[in-house]
């Protein structure tokens, strides 16, 4: 990209993502210096290359610890604005808080709106993320906002099992994801019907019989957090006669005993994009930074 410096937010996920992005863009890369004060406050310092650039692509995943990652991103954006960098783009491979995209219960904060407004006001002219929970949330960002689909790039790295195979979304909201992955793999798709108790957070599935007997299933979702959704979906599909279950997910947070749940539910293999560092388990990580580079290049 003309005159673009890729600036890593300095944490391990952002470092790796920005290295791949810079390579794909054939752009120089630099990293912010970060530290934490004894009382827990964050500190960042820009490298000199950033203050002399006209265009900076800041790469900062809002991976856990989400709040600290967000504060660091805001500090970086504000510092760049103060230094007079005229064009600042925020590349946020994982946009935390995207699931709280409306008031599910009265008077709840719409977290994704607050986060997107803060990123904009801190100085990002545009925002690129990977697989936001709901595309509509991007309208909370008053500027160019793009959610890059990782599934086409992931499809190239996935080992599709031999035999009949179908892509299944664990809920209707993820159907678009199943369609994209299925098209890229040339496979059929379907979806389950999931509900979540908004107070306890527990998920349950409506009875729905799919024709999966003898099929290998690829479950696709945007996020695995506790693993509850994918584990239950896997158990249901295997009980309906599926031959095997593989999982493809954009953001594998895998908190707590999520990995153990997936293994106990019969999941054979998990593929994840390189947008967060999984807290447990051993998913196969696929680099999707080149897909973000293409999106950036296309809108340059
Ligand atoms: C919810 O609608 C999301 O798309 C994911 O299905 C959900 O966040 C996964 O969370 P967990 O792994 O805790 O079930």
């Amino acid at each position: 990209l003309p005159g673009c410096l890729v600036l890593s937010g300095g944490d391990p996920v952002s470092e790796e993502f920005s290295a791949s992005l810079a390579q794909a863009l054939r752009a120089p890369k630099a990293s912010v210096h970060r530290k934490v004060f004894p009382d827990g406050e964050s500190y960042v310092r820009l490298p000199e290359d950033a203050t002399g650039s006209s265009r900076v692509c800041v790469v900062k995943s809002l991976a856990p610890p989400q709040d600290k990652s967000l504060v660091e991103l805001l500090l970086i954006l504000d510092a760049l604005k103060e230094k007079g960098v005229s064009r600042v783009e925020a590349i946020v491979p994982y946009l935390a808080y995207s699931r709280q995209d409306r008031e599910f219960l009265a008077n709840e904060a719409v977290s994704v709106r607050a986060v997107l407004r803060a990123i904009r006001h801190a100085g990002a002219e545009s925002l690129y993320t990977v697989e936001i929970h709901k595309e509509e949330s991007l309208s909370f960002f008053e500027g160019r906002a793009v959610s890059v689909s990782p599934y086409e790039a992931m499809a190239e790295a996935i080992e599709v099992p031999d035999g009949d195979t179908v892509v299944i979304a664990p809920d209707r909201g993820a159907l678009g994801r199943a369609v994209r992955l299925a098209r890229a793999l040339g496979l059929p798709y379907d979806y389950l019907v999931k509900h979540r108790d908004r107070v306890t957070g527990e998920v349950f599935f409506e009875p729905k019989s799919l024709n999966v007997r003898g099929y290998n299933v690829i479950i696709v979702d945007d996020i695995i957090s506790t693993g509850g959704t994918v584990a239950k979906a896997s158990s249901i599909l295997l009980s309906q006669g599926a031959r095997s279950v593989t999982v493809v997910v954009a953001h594998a947070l895998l908190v707590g005993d999520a990995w153990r749940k997936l293994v106990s539910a019969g999941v054979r293999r998990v593929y994840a994009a390189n947008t967060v560092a999984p807290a447990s388990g051993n998913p196969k990580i696929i680099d999707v930074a080149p897909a973000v580079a293409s999106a950036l290049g296309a809108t340059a």
Side-chain angles (χ1 to χ4, degrees):
L1 289 189
C4 165
L5 172 79
V6 174
L7 180 62
S8 161
D11 59 282
V13 172
S14 304
E15 273 298 313
E16 280 194 24
F17 199 95
S18 55
S20 172
L21 187 77
Q23 196 180 19
L25 292 172
R26 296 204 185 92
K29 169 186 171 287
S31 302
V32 300
H33 171 64
R34 54 200 274 276
K35 68 179 180 186
V36 179
F37 286 111
D39 61 0
E41 288 180 358
S42 301
Y43 163 101
V44 302
R45 184 174 181 209
L46 301 176
E48 275 191 14
D49 339 17
T51 57
S53 297
S54 55
R55 183 175 183 190
V56 174
C57 295
V58 179
V59 177
K60 184 74 186 168
S61 172
L62 300 190
Q66 297 89 334
D67 298 356
K68 190 151 269 310
S69 300
L70 175 61
V71 168
E72 287 178 1
L73 173 60
L74 299 179
L75 297 180
I76 297 166
L77 293 171
D78 186 74
L80 288 167
K81 189 160 72 174
E82 281 301 310
K83 287 291 160 194
V85 176
S86 54
R87 192 161 172 196
V88 177
E89 280 156 307
I91 319 296
V92 183
Y94 172 59
L95 187 80
Y97 290 103
S98 69
R99 285 170 292 176
Q100 183 69 32
D101 55 11
R102 63 187 170 93
E103 287 183 46
F104 297 98
L105 300 176
N107 306 327
E108 287 178 338
V110 179
S111 312
V112 69
R113 183 179 61 210
V115 167
L116 288 174
R117 282 181 177 165
I119 294 173
R120 174 71 176 154
H121 288 287
E125 178 183 310
S126 56
L127 172 110
Y128 290 78
T129 188
V130 176
E131 191 61 341
I132 193 168
H133 181 60
K134 272 208 199 94
E135 190 98 17
E136 298 89 289
S137 302
L138 294 173
S139 64
F140 291 130
F141 186 87
E142 285 175 14
R144 185 202 303 283
V146 177
S147 173
V148 176
S149 169
Y151 304 115
E152 293 73 9
M154 294 180 85
E156 289 174 24
I158 291 166
E159 256 179 65
V160 177
D162 291 333
D164 289 335
T165 304
V166 61
V167 178
I168 305 271
D171 56 41
R172 220 194 129 108
L175 181 57
R177 301 182 172 110
V179 172
R180 277 178 273 145
L181 183 66
R183 286 208 179 122
L185 293 171
L187 296 174
Y189 57 84
D190 208 331
Y191 67 98
L192 293 167
V193 181
K194 180 186 95 176
H195 298 283
R196 187 181 288 273
D197 184 312
R198 288 290 158 197
V199 177
T200 65
E202 207 193 327
V203 295
F204 53 96
F205 286 88
E206 255 180 44
K208 181 179 179 196
S209 185
L210 301 179
N211 185 19
V212 292
R213 183 159 300 281
Y215 272 74
N216 299 297
V217 171
I218 300 178
I219 297 177
V220 59
D221 208 356
D222 58 337
I223 299 173
I224 298 179
S225 177
T226 65
T229 298
V230 166
K232 278 196 185 161
S234 172
S235 301
I236 289 170
L237 293 163
L238 289 168
S239 74
Q240 290 181 359
R243 240 172 91 187
S244 73
V245 172
T246 299
V247 174
V248 174
V249 63
H251 315 292
L253 297 169
L254 289 166
V255 302
D257 63 350
W259 186 259
R260 191 194 52 73
K261 274 189 214 160
L262 300 187
V263 172
S264 314
V267 171
R268 192 185 271 183
R269 186 174 256 198
V270 180
Y271 293 93
N274 56 338
T275 56
V276 299
S280 69
N282 192 21
K284 185 165 172 13
I285 303 292
I286 300 171
D287 181 13
V288 299
V292 174
S294 303
L296 264 161
T299 55

